[in-house]
Amino acid sequence: MSEILAIGSYTETDLAGLREMGARVVASLDEMRGLEEAERGDVRAVAYKGHHPFGAEEMALLPALGVIANYGVGHDAIDVEAAGAAGVRVTNTPEVLNDDVADLAVAMLLMQQRRMLQGDAHVRSGAWAGGESFPLNRKVSGRRAGIMGLGRIGRDIAERLAAFKMEIHYHSRSEKETPGWRYHADPVDLAGAVDYLVVALVGGPETENYVSREVIGALGTQGVLINISRGSTVDEAALLDALEAGRLGGAGLDVFEGEPKVNPRFRALETVVLQPHQGSGTRETRAAMGRLQRDNIAAFLAGRALPTPVN
Ligand code: NAP
């Protein structure tokens, strides 16, 4: 058995890289649980790609475990506190995916406001050729944008929206150095001050329903919510109620509660753009994420400093 165990569904490129390091690959945590005790006992490093909880119980099944290298910057599936208590290091893949996630956030905003899905259907259906005019939609440039969570990705989104001549507002737990962007200590205040609210928070219990019914209410009938963070950061029931009642103008969502099963109420809404959690989903970025994941494992096994540690 190998001292590296890769868990998850990897691309051919990543599989080749992992196998070159001598990794054993299993598809899921369930498959890991089914390995012989002796096989599990050899594992010192796990490459993890998944959203199912990886907690104390799973770590206990791997007694020699020293590192969990997460594929992705969001490591909310891994119980970092339990890892610390068990002497297990956790790493993630920050920075390399910022551009793609920020691009998708902006794309969803443009798609929602310019009704590009409906425009595409208008051309394909022959309605345009048949002389039907396409209704006017909303101007994006020059509006007011709020970023909920001005971290690495949030900042890249703000910079893009600034290039669209937007006034940038943000909420974080503390004020940051910015090129004159407006800070709001209260998330509801932020939502009340902007046309568009883009959520770029970490996921996990501390930010659950951070975008609350009140925040959604403050965004208002013309407001648009974009979420590229995690489904858990938004009160989804409140979001659906507001969209259905026309109390919120629209939404662009890449992440959902209970994904990939998406609440069917979303499907009936014309005002939402829905994406299959593909923020970092380009070949280039996914390859860079895989490399960084493997670099962290290689560093751990060689006793070197971890390139991107979480704990
Ligand atoms: P980051 O640099 O760590 O920024 C995270 C932001 O979350 C910061 O603004 C931080 O606020 C805020 N935050 C953290 N803990 C909080 C708490 N307890 N209460 C309130 N705010 C809190 O992370 P990042 O690299 O930008 O990534 C952000 C998230 O995007 C990831 O965690 C992941 O869930 C998501 N993501 C999604 C995709 C996708 O495919 N859709 C891809 C990559 C990442 P402070 O500034 O106050 O610290």
Side-chain angles (χ1 to χ4, degrees), residues 5 7 24-36 40:
L5 179 67
I7 303 174
R24 162 130 192 215
V25 184
V26 296
S28 63
L29 284 172
D30 270 344
E31 207 177 312
M32 178 277 281
R33 289 185 191 100
L35 294 175
E36 297 288 329
R40 286 189 273 105

Side-chain angles (χ1 to χ4, degrees), residues 73 149-153 172-173 176 202 206 228 254 277 279:
V73 65
L150 198 72
R152 290 171 290 241
I153 295 172
S172 265
R173 288 168 297 177
K176 315 272 178 203
V202 301
E206 287 183 10
I228 50 78
D254 186 42
H277 197 153

Side-chain angles (χ1 to χ4, degrees), residues 102-116 136-146 157-158 160-168 194-198 222-224 226 273:
D103 288 352
L104 193 84
V106 175
M108 288 196 295
L109 176 59
L110 291 169
M111 282 179 78
Q112 198 285 335
Q113 287 283 268
R114 302 305 305 270
R115 302 185 75 245
M116 290 168 72
L136 299 182
N137 43 61
R138 298 303 306 266
K139 177 164 176 163
V140 173
S141 287
R143 307 285 287 277
R144 297 164 306 167
I157 295 168
R160 279 162 174 72
L161 296 181
F164 282 78
K165 303 171 192 159
M166 290 196 203
E167 188 179 291
I168 305 297
V194 298
D195 304 298
Y196 308 135
L197 186 65
V198 187
Q222 299 300 313
V224 176
I226 303 294
V273 169

Side-chain angles (χ1 to χ4, degrees), residues 285-300:
T285 291
R286 290 288 168 85
M289 289 163 65
R291 274 196 301 275
L292 188 49
Q293 182 187 42
R294 296 193 294 279
D295 286 351
N296 273 291
I297 290 177
F300 174 81

Side-chain angles (χ1 to χ4, degrees), residues 8-192:
S9 166
Y10 288 88
T11 63
E12 283 306 319
T13 312
D14 283 336
L15 283 176
L18 286 162
R19 291 208 170 105
E20 204 174 301
M21 297 175 83
R24 162 130 192 215
V25 184
V26 296
S28 63
L29 284 172
D30 270 344
E31 207 177 312
M32 178 277 281
R33 289 185 191 100
L35 294 175
E36 297 288 329
E37 195 177 337
E39 290 178 304
R40 286 189 273 105
D42 287 340
V43 175
R44 294 179 59 214
V46 160
Y48 188 57
K49 184 178 180 190
H51 294 287
H52 291 290
F54 194 134
E57 248 174 65
E58 288 70 27
M59 293 174 210
L61 291 172
L62 304 165
L65 185 64
V67 70
I68 303 169
N70 188 52
Y71 183 98
V73 65
H75 50 78
D76 43 309
I78 300 169
D79 187 337
V80 177
E81 209 172 300
V88 173
R89 305 292 306 275
V90 177
T91 67
N92 65 347
T93 61
E95 304 288 358
V96 294
L97 40 63
N98 295 358
D99 281 335
D100 278 351
V101 182
D103 288 352
L104 193 84
V106 175
M108 288 196 295
L109 176 59
L110 291 169
M111 282 179 78
Q112 198 285 335
Q113 287 283 268
R114 302 305 305 270
R115 302 185 75 245
M116 290 168 72
L117 287 169
Q118 291 83 356
D120 183 276
H122 192 74
V123 177
R124 285 176 201 270
S125 68
W128 189 35
E132 227 179 277
S133 61
F134 188 62
L136 299 182
N137 43 61
R138 298 303 306 266
K139 177 164 176 163
V140 173
S141 287
R143 307 285 287 277
R144 297 164 306 167
I147 312 296
M148 189 75 89
L150 198 72
R152 290 171 290 241
I153 295 172
R155 204 170 266 277
D156 271 24
I157 295 168
E159 282 167 1
R160 279 162 174 72
L161 296 181
F164 282 78
K165 303 171 192 159
M166 290 196 203
E167 188 179 291
I168 305 297
H169 298 242
Y170 72 97
H171 163 76
S172 265
R173 288 168 297 177
S174 59
E175 195 166 352
K176 315 272 178 203
E177 232 171 83
T178 69
W181 302 339
R182 298 188 196 177
Y183 176 65
H184 297 260
D186 176 13
V188 180
D189 277 357
L190 171 69

Side-chain angles (χ1 to χ4, degrees), residues 253-272:
L253 308 169
D254 186 42
V255 286
F256 303 86
E257 273 175 18
E259 62 182 51
K261 291 198 177 109
V262 171
N263 191 317
R265 288 166 69 192
F266 280 117
R267 289 193 226 138
L269 289 163
E270 262 250 327
T271 52
V272 296

